[in-house]
C-alpha cells in the first residue's frame, strides 16, 4: 500500500485504490450478496414481496437436496468436470513438456500461435464447429466409416461430445500454467535423472511433475471451474442424458421463472466448486497464492 | 600409474577416446580427439570456455553422439549406448540436485531407478552420507545445505550407482575460493579412497595442476597436449599450452641454431638460449618462453634488461612487472623473503635465467 503511494503519488494512488474498491464491492461482493439474498427467500408474486411470507429459509436449497434428478445431475456435473480437467491434463502435459524442454524457439512460436488462433473466435462458434464435426452425418463419422473403423455412424452427442468440446475449449488454461512451470525446470535435472538410470516414466513422476505441481494444480483448478460453470458445450454437444447442472439453473431462471430457486442452485454449485478446489490444493500442497500467480 | 595408497578394490575402467569429432551445424566443437584415461586415474580436461571440453564430457557421458569416432569404456565400445546404459555418472556444473527430495532420496535416486528396496536404499544412502561426512543430514532438503555440503551430496549421489567413471563438469566453480581449495583436497582424497576413474573438466589451470594425475589441455576443439602437471608446466608442447598453463614471458626471436637440444636464438635483447621444443628448425621465427619464477635479479647465462614499473605483492611472492627497452613486458616472481634486496620501482634492472628454464617453440 505504502509502496503504491510511493510509486504513484497520493492522487493517482488513491484513484487506483478506489478503482479496486469499486471493482471488489460492485462487481464481486454485491452480485454475490444479492444472489445469496435471492437464494434464501421464497419465490413470491410481486404483491407479497416484503410481506409476512417473505422470510429467510433454506427451502430452496433443501428442494435441491430432495429432488433426486437434480441432485444426480449436480453430482454428475462435479465429477464430469473433474474428468474434463483430468483429460485436458493428459492432453496438455506431453505438449507442455515438449514445448518447454525440447522445442526450438520457432517451433514454440508456431505451436502457440496455432493453439491461440481458435481462441480469437467466440466460444459459441468454436463449440458449434464441434457440433458440426460430431454430427451423426458429419465429417468425423464419415471419416471413421471410410477407414472401416466403425460400421455405422456413432451418436457422439452426449457425454463424449461434451467431454471433447470442453477439453478443446479449455486447453490453453491448462497448457500455459504447466508450460510455464516446466520451462523453469533446469534441463540438467532431467539429464541427471537419466544419467542415474531412471526411466522416462520415473523422470516425469519423480522430477518433472513434482516441479510442475503448482502449474498442474492451477491448470486443473481453472479447467474444473470453467467446466463446472460451462453452459454452451453441454447445451450444444449434450444429449438429454448428459444434462449439465448449469442447464438446470438456466431453466429455473428463464423457463421456470423462479429466480430464487435458480439462485439457490447456483449458490450450491459455487460452494461445492470452491470446496473441491480448496481440497485439491490442500492435497497437492499448493497454496492459493501460488495459483494466483 | 597414479599412486593409490589405501584403495584395495578392483581396478576401475579406463576410458579411451578414438578419433572423436563433434560438429554442430557448421561449428567444429571437437576435432579428432584421441587419448586414453587409465583406470583409477584423476584426469582433467583443461581449457578456456568454449574450447569444447564440456562437449567432450557430454560425449563420454552419452548425452551427445559424436559425429565421428568411438568411445571405449573398460575396452568396450559405448558409442551407441545412452547415458543410462554406461558405467559413468556425471556431476553437473549446477549440481542438479533434486530440490524437492530430501538428501537421502537424492543420493538413493539411482538405486530407486534400479528397483532397490526402500530399506536398502536408506541404508546405502546413510553409508554414503558417512563417506562424505554428512552423517544425519539425510532428512534435510538440499536447499537447507551450504554450497559445499550440496557439492558433497552431488558426489554421493553419483557414487551411489557405483560408477566405473565419474565425470565432473566444473563442479567447484560456484564455490568461493577457500571452500574451493578445501573441496579440491576432499575430491582428491575421495578419488583415492574409492579408486573410481575421475574425468574432471575445468578452466582453472591451478585446479587442474593441483588435483590431477594427468591433464589434457584443449583449445578450439583440439587437444594440444596430454601430460602430467609438471610435464605441461615445464615442457609445454605448443605456444597455447605455454601461455595458458601458468604465467609466462614470451619473447619473439629467430632461431640461429640448435645444438644438443639447446636452441640459440636472436632476440631484441641479444642472443639467448633455451631448450628447443618439437618442430623447431634453424632460421625460423619462434618464441622463447620463460616463467616468472625462472627470472632472477642475479646470475643466469641469459641476461635481460628491464625497467621495473610496478611490484604486485601477492603474499608468498611478489610479481615485478617490467618493460624491456623494446617495449616487451616482462614479469618476474620474487619470493617475499627476498623482497628487501629486490630492485625498486623505476629502477633499470637486469634479470637472468638458465637455458634449462626456458623453452623455444616455433611461432604459429
Amino acid at each position: 500500500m505504502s509502496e503504491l503511494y510511493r510509486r504513484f503519488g497520493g492522487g493517482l494512488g488513491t484513484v487506483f485504490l478506489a478503482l479496486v474498491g469499486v471493482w471488489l464491492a460492485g462487481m464481486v461482493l454485491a452480485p454475490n450478496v444479492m444472489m445469496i439474498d435471492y437464494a434464501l427467500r421464497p419465490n413470491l408474486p410481486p404483491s407479497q414481496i416484503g410481506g409476512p411470507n417473505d422470510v429467510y429459509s433454506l427451502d430452496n436449497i433443501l428442494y435441491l437436496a430432495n429432488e433426486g434428478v437434480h441432485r444426480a445431475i449436480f453430482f454428475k456435473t462435479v465429477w464430469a468436470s473433474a474428468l474434463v480437467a483430468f483429460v485436458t491434463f493428459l492432453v496438455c502435459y506431453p505438449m507442455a513438456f515438449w514445448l518447454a524442454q525440447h522445442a526450438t524457439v520457432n517451433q514454440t512460436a508456431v505451436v502457440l500461435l496455432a493453439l491461440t488462433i481458435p481462441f480469437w473466435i467466440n466460444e459459441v462458434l468454436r463449440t458449434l464447429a464441434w457440433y458440426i464435426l460430431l454430427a451423426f452425418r458429419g465429417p468425423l463419422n464419415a471419416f471413421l466409416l471410410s477407414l472401416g473403423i466403425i460400421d455405422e455412424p456413432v451418436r457422439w452427442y452426449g457425454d463424449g461430445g461434451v467431454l471433447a468440446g470442453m477439453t478443446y475449449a479449455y486447453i490453453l488454461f491448462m497448457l500455459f500454467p504447466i508450460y510455464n512451470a516446466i520451462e523453469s525446470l533446469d534441463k540438467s535435472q532431467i539429464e541427471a535423472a537419466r544419467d542415474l538410470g531412471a526411466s522416462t516414466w520415473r523422470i516425469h513422476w519423480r522430477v518433472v511433475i513434482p516441479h510442475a505441481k503448482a502449474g498442474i494444480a492451477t491448470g486443473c483448478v481453472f479447467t474444473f471451474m470453467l467446466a463446472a460453470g460451462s453452459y454452451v458445450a453441454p447445451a450444444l454437444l449434450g444429449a438429454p442424458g448428459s444434462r449439465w447442472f448449469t442447464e438446470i439453473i438456466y431453466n429455473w431462471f428463464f423457463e421456470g421463472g423462479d429466480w430464487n430457486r435458480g439462485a439457490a442452485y447456483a449458490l450450491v454449485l459455487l460452494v461445492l466448486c470452491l470446496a473441491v478446489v480448496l481440497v485439491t490444493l490442500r492435497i497437492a500442497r499448493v497454496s492459493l497464492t501460488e495459483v494466483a500467480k | 600409474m597414479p599412486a593409490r595408497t589405501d584403495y584395495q578394490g578392483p581396478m576401475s575402467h579406463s576410458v579411451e577416446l578414438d578419433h572423436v569429432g563433434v560438429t554442430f551445424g557448421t561449428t567444429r566443437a571437437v576435432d579428432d580427439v584421441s587419448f586414453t584415461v587409465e583406470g583409477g586415474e584423476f584426469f582433467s580436461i583443461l581449457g578456456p570456455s568454449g574450447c569444447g571440453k564440456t562437449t567432450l564430457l557430454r560425449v563420454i557421458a552419452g548425452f551427445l553422439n559424436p559425429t565421428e569416432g568411438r568411445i571405449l569404456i573398460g575396452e568396450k565400445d559405448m558409442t551407441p549406448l545412452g547415458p543410462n546404459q554406461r558405467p559413468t555418472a556425471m556431476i553437473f556444473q549446477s549440481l542438479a540436485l533434486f530440490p524437492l527430495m530430501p538428501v537421502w532420496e537424492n543420493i538413493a535416486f539411482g538405486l530407486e531407478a534400479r528397483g532397490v528396496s526402500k530399506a536398502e536404499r536408506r541404508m546405502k544412502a546413510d553409508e554414503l552420507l558417512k563417506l562424505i561426512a554428512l552423517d544425519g543430514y539425510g532428512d534435510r532438503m538440499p536447499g537447507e545445505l551450504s554450497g559445499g555440503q550440496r557439492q558433497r551430496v552431488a558426489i554421493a549421489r553419483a557414487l551411489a550407482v557405483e560408477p566405473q567413471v565419474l565425470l565432473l563438469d566444473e563442479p567447484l566453480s560456484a564455490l568461493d575460493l577457500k571452500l574451493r581449495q578445501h573441496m579440491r583436497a576432499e575430491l582428491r582424497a575421495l578419488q583415492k579412497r574409492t579408486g573410481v576413474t575421475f574425468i574432471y573438466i575445468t578452466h582453472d589451470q591451478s585446479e587442474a595442476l593441483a588435483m590431477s594425475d594427468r591433464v589434457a589441455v584443449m583449445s578450439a576443439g583440439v587437444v594440444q597436449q596430454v601430460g602430467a602437471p609438471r610435464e605441461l608446466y615445464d615442457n609445454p608442447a605448443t605456444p597455447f599450452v605455454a601461455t595458458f598453463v601458468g604465467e609466462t614471458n614470451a619473447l619473439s626471436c629467430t632461431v640461429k641454431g640448435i645444438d644438443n637440444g639447446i636452441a640459440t636464438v636472436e632476440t631484441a635483447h641479444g642472443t639467448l638460449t633455451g631448450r628447443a621444443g618439437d618442430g623447431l628448425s634453424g632460421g625460423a621465427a619462434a618464441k622463447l618462453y620463460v616463467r616468472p619464477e625462472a627470472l632472477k635479479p642475479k646470475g643466469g647465462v641469459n641476461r635481460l634488461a628491464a625497467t621495473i614499473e610496478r611490484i604486485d605483492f601477492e603474499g608468498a611472492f611478489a610479481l615485478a612487472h617490467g618493460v624491456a627497452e623494446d617495449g616487451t613486458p616482462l614479469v618476474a616472481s620474487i619470493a617475499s623473503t627476498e623482497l628487501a634486496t629486490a630492485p625498486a620501482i623505476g629502477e633499470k634492472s637486469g634479470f637472468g635465467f638458465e637455458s634449462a628454464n626456458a623453452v623455444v617453440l616455433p611461432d604459429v
Side-chain angles (χ1 to χ4, degrees), chain B residues 11 28 53 55 68 78 123 128 130 146 156 169 176 183 189 198 201 204 207 218 220 233 252 265 272 303 321 330:
Chain B
M11 176 89 78
R28 190 79 174 142
K53 57 191 191 299
T55 306
E68 66 263 351
M78 295 279 161
M123 220 167 69
L128 281 158
K130 230 171 260 161
S146 72
D169 185 7
D176 58 53
M183 284 304 296
F198 272 40
I201 295 285
D204 180 341
E207 210 165 273
M218 258 186 108
Y233 194 79
S252 298
V265 297
L272 302 173
R303 296 294 295 177
H321 293 264
L330 288 174

Side-chain angles (χ1 to χ4, degrees), chain B residues 265-303:
Chain B
V265 297
E266 193 60 49
T267 73
H269 319 274
T271 306
L272 302 173
T273 53
R275 284 177 295 121
D278 282 344
L280 201 66
S281 55
K287 277 206 171 73
L288 180 142
Y289 297 92
V290 55
R291 300 283 181 196
E293 66 271 21
L295 288 178
K296 304 283 183 202
K298 297 194 180 69
V301 293
N302 298 290
R303 296 294 295 177

Side-chain angles (χ1 to χ4, degrees), chain B residues 148-163:
Chain B
Q149 289 169 337
R150 274 206 292 276
Q151 185 70 60
R152 304 212 291 264
V153 171
I155 294 165
R157 183 178 71 175
L159 289 176
V161 297
E162 292 174 2

Side-chain angles (χ1 to χ4, degrees), chain A residues 80-81 83-92 95 119 126 130 159-175 223 227 230 233 237:
Chain A
S81 299
L83 184 68
V84 168
F86 181 67
V87 170
T88 312
F89 168 73
L90 289 186
V91 171
C92 287
M95 190 153 52
F119 283 76
R126 259 184 292 139
W130 277 95
D159 291 330
V162 172
L163 186 66
M166 284 197 185
T167 300
Y168 174 71
Y170 306 134
I171 233 167
L172 291 190
F173 296 94
M174 182 69 87
L175 185 74
T223 311
S230 169
L237 303 171

